[in-house]
Each structure stands twice: as structure tokens, then as C-alpha cells.
Amino acid sequence: MSNSCCPPDHRDAIDERYGAAALEQEACLCAAVPFDPALLKVIPEEVVSRDYGCGDPTRWVRPGDRVLDLGSGSGKNAFICSQLVGAEGSVLGLDRNPNMLELANGACGSVASQIGYGNVSFRRAEIDQLAIDLDGQPLLADGCIDVVLSNCVLNLVQPSRRGQLLQEIRRVTAPGGRLAISDIICDKPVPLELQQDPDLWSGCISGAWLETEFCSAFEQLGFRNVALVDRQEKPWQVHAGIEFRSATLTAELPCC
């Protein structure tokens, strides 16, 4: 139950909705955007069709990068990154949903055989707890990731856990590392009544970050050149007079 000022923890609703969406495509979930068809050719169709995002953060990945995909879902973004980083790079996808992880892990062998190398792995973990996974095993050391990316997942995290999420993103990012985070932002604060709706929350709407606070949160962590790119001009949805749109936040961590 929630108190008078905070939304409830919607993780059960999120698990149920995305667990079902891993088994059968939910067409209205999130705001999908097109990706480079050449990068999708080696990825199984069920992985592509059951991916639920709102942007393309993979465009900021470079050869040789060590990539962390927060909330990796079906694995589509991770498998795209695997091709972009090449055999010298690596990609780790984290998700808490067993159905999504089964879908992603089931595609690893197929993708590796087609591109000629295997550089992707998936682990079950909470994205705000990056030191250990959900099996209690060590996960990520300080400064070990070149690019932290995420696609329409940060908005699903309960507000009380977002401070820890931000600190963990900062902790694992290497000096000179980068962020590419596609998510849903809004132009006005979301009232508690909307935040309490599990369908709106799990649908990537009522947990949206206020646009100005989204950028400032990463600036306060010490990231530089924080910018919103690919920001939708027309809102994706409007609820209670609040405009919800997708955008991709990019940022860099100073080398020293």
C-alpha cells in the first residue's frame, strides 16, 4: 500500500505485464521506433517483435565498447550492440523478468553463429543494485562500463529507488564513459492519482521523469554534455493535460 505522498511499488504489475509480453507481443506497450534493418537481420523475429522501447540508444555505441543494457528485455538492443562493438567489445544485459531473460538467452547462440562471435550475456538483476545479481553473485565492479544504455526502463523504477539507481549508474561508468538512455519524459509533474495506476505505470506513462529533472539528475552526478536528443516534437500521449514524449539522454563522464 502507498502512503499519502508516494506511489506504491508497481514491480508485481510490471513483472506480470512484461512477462506476458515476452510470450506474446503487446502492440500498445511503449512507443517503438525504427532501427537499422541491417542490424535486425541476424536477430530472431520473436526477439525483435517482443522488444518494447521508445528510442534507439544503440546509435551511440562504438567499436570495442563495454556496454551495459539496463532492463534488456527481449535482448534486441543488446544484440544490436553486439554487432556495433565487434568481437573486441562486450555487452551485458540485465533484467529482472524471467520470461524476458529466457527469450534473450535463447537467441544468443543463433546470433553468435551468424555474426561469427559471441560477446553478449544476460543476467537477472535489479537495475538499481549492480554490485550483485538476484542470485547473490558478484556483478559489476566500479568503473567497468564504457556505455550505459537503457530503452524505456528507467521510468518503471519506483521514485524511492531512483537515487540508488543513479548512484549505481555513476559507479559502474568508466572515466570517459558515456550514457545513452531513451525514456519517456513529461512536461509537468505527474499527480499521485496517475502514479497509483498500475496500468499507466507499467505502460511507461505515469512513472515518466519530469524533463528538466531528468537532465539535472545526471548533471548532479558529474556527467557533462548532458543533452536530450531525438526528442519527440509531438507528444506520444497526453493524460490530464500532461504531455508524455520520448527522448534520448546522452552524457559523458570526464576522464579525470
Side-chain angles (χ1 to χ4, degrees):
M1 298 292 292
S2 64
N3 60 31
S4 61
C5 64
C6 302
D9 188 334
H10 290 296
R11 276 181 287 185
D12 287 345
I14 293 166
D15 287 346
E16 181 178 356
R17 187 167 188 176
Y18 282 86
L23 302 176
E24 184 175 350
Q25 183 185 31
E26 183 182 338
C28 64
L29 188 58
C30 295
V33 300
F35 285 73
D36 183 348
L39 295 170
L40 300 179
K41 290 174 64 176
V42 303
I43 306 174
E45 187 279 333
E46 62 268 24
V47 169
V48 175
S49 66
R50 298 173 200 169
D51 170 73
Y52 305 101
C54 60
D56 181 6
T58 68
R59 295 197 296 112
W60 283 267
V61 173
R62 304 170 186 167
D65 277 338
R66 299 166 295 176
V67 176
L68 173 64
D69 183 3
L70 297 177
S72 49
S74 72
K76 186 184 83 172
N77 290 267
F79 290 127
I80 290 172
C81 290
S82 73
Q83 301 168 71
L84 298 173
V85 302
E88 300 302 314
S90 64
V91 185
L92 173 62
L94 302 182
D95 206 284
R96 59 172 278 118
N97 193 289
N99 289 355
M100 283 294 185
L101 287 168
E102 182 176 0
L103 180 59
N105 278 313
C108 286
S110 172
V111 173
S113 67
Q114 293 191 69
I115 66 177
Y117 53 86
N119 61 355
V120 183
S121 61
F122 297 96
R123 300 271 293 272
R124 187 163 183 256
E126 298 279 9
I127 64 171
D128 63 333
Q129 299 174 27
L130 301 180
I132 58 172
D133 65 18
L134 284 172
D135 294 321
Q137 299 301 308
L139 190 56
L140 291 168
D142 295 358
C144 65
I145 297 297
D146 297 313
V147 183
V148 177
L149 66 81
S150 184
N151 199 344
C152 215
V153 175
L154 267 59
N155 70 82
L156 297 174
V157 175
Q158 187 183 27
S160 64
R161 297 166 52 217
R162 289 181 180 177
Q164 176 70 17
L165 168 66
L166 293 168
Q167 290 297 327
E168 283 292 89
I169 290 174
R170 172 63 178 82
R171 180 182 69 81
V172 302
T173 303
R178 309 178 314 279
L179 305 180
I181 298 172
S182 298
D183 222 297
I184 300 298
I185 55 175
C186 55
D187 65 336
K188 301 173 186 174
V190 179
L192 182 60
E193 179 181 358
L194 296 186
Q195 293 185 53
Q196 291 174 327
D197 187 321
D199 290 331
L200 288 178
W201 193 283
S202 63
C204 301
I205 297 170
S206 60
W209 295 59
L210 188 63
E211 182 169 345
T212 53
E213 292 181 358
F214 194 42
C215 293
S216 65
F218 289 95
E219 291 172 341
Q220 291 170 16
L221 288 173
F223 286 93
R224 296 179 181 173
N225 300 321
V226 179
L228 288 179
V229 298
D230 294 342
R231 180 185 180 277
Q232 283 183 324
E233 181 176 349
K234 182 179 179 181
W236 168 50
Q237 294 195 34
V238 178
H239 291 268
I242 304 168
E243 295 184 351
F244 297 87
R245 54 174 44 84
S246 66
T248 299
L249 180 145
T250 59
E252 303 170 354
L253 192 64
C255 290
C256 55

